[in-house]
């Protein structure tokens, strides 16, 4: 503009995504070398800070998925006349719940599912992980997982139930996420839908801790 006032326009473009990451017009004194050096350092700091903020979400998305051991969902039957043992129909519906939840978690890209078929601990075989005071974390660690997830269907009546889940850090045993659906209406065929909704709402959309 003159020997005293200078303008500088800076633009950073992501060529692959065809989008502008940063663009700004600067005005500065430019009547000597010291002024130009000052402008260069100032613009450099601003551009680097802006790019770090712009790229942070992409870097977080690209982080390695969490190794998660999703154990078979368990049934806690609080209905008026619970059957002795796990009925065949209940077992089939619980298998559907577990499969549906695992599929939902795998599709999110946030988790790498760890195979739990090799777990031989008694609470796993008895489907009683909900009562073992967090022992599922140690079992998950033995399987090579970063975290464990246990889920419980609590049947209140033949047409009422709740869903709950709990995620623990495999190393420390600390609870990193949990959720409860509250009372839901529906027979056993609706368990899967309720569990998938809860996992999506409380774990995936609510965020997960490493």
């Amino acid at each position: 503009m003159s020997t005293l006032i200078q303008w500088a326009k800076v633009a950073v473009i992501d060529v692959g995504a065809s989008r502008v990451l940063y663009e700004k017009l600067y005005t500065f004194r430019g009547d000597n070398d010291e002024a130009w050096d000052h402008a260069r350092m100032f613009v450099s700091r601003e551009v680097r800070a802006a790019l770090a903020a712009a790229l942070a979400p992409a870097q977080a998305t690209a982080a390695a998925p969490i190794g998660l051991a999703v154990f078979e969902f368990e049934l806690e039957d609080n209905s008026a006349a619970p059957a002795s043992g796990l009925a065949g129909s209940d077992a089939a519906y619980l298998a559907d719940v577990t499969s549906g939840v695992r599929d939902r978690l795998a599709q999110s890209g946030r988790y790498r599912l760890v195979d739990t078929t090799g777990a031989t601990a008694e609470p796993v075989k008895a489907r009683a992980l909900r009562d073992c005071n967090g022992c599922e974390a140690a079992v998950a660690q033995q399987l090579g997982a970063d975290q464990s997830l246990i889920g419980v269907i609590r049947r209140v009546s033949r047409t009422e139930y709740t869903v709950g889940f709990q995620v623990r850090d495999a190393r420390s045993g600390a609870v990193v996420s949990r959720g409860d659906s509250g009372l839901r209406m529906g027979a056993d065929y609706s368990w899967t839908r309720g569990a998938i909704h809860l996992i999506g709402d409380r774990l995936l959309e609510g965020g997960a801790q490493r």
Side-chain angles (χ1 to χ4, degrees), residues 93 186-193:
Y93 283 121
D188 42 16
Y189 55 79
S190 66
W191 293 350
T192 299
R193 182 173 64 252

Side-chain angles (χ1 to χ4, degrees), residues 49-172:
L51 287 180
L55 295 175
Q59 291 171 343
T61 302
I66 301 169
L68 182 65
V70 180
F71 294 99
E72 298 286 338
F73 268 64
E74 301 173 0
L75 176 63
E76 185 176 299
D77 196 343
N78 297 314
S79 59
S84 177
L86 190 63
S89 59
D90 290 339
Y93 283 121
L94 286 174
D96 285 342
V97 172
T98 304
S99 177
V101 167
R102 285 173 175 168
D103 287 345
R104 179 69 178 88
L105 291 168
Q107 291 167 6
S108 74
R110 183 182 297 173
Y111 295 99
R112 170 181 56 82
L113 298 188
V114 176
D115 186 8
T116 61
T117 56
T120 59
E122 186 57 33
V124 177
K125 294 189 292 183
R127 293 199 176 191
L129 287 172
R130 65 189 184 279
D131 297 324
C132 74
N133 296 317
C135 72
E136 71 273 11
V139 177
Q141 186 177 34
Q142 293 173 357
L143 296 172
D146 303 311
Q147 296 179 357
S148 63
L149 183 149
I150 60 172
V152 181
I153 303 293
R154 296 180 178 88
R155 180 159 55 200
V156 180
S157 70
R158 289 296 167 178
T159 57
E160 296 175 316
Y161 70 97
T162 68
V163 184
F165 76 87
Q166 187 164 263
V167 178
R168 290 183 183 271
D169 181 85
R171 291 181 295 277
S172 68

Side-chain angles (χ1 to χ4, degrees), residues 174-191:
V175 175
V176 298
S177 183
R178 58 159 54 99
D180 194 289
S181 68
L183 187 63
R184 294 181 66 91
M185 303 301 294
D188 42 16
Y189 55 79
S190 66
W191 293 350

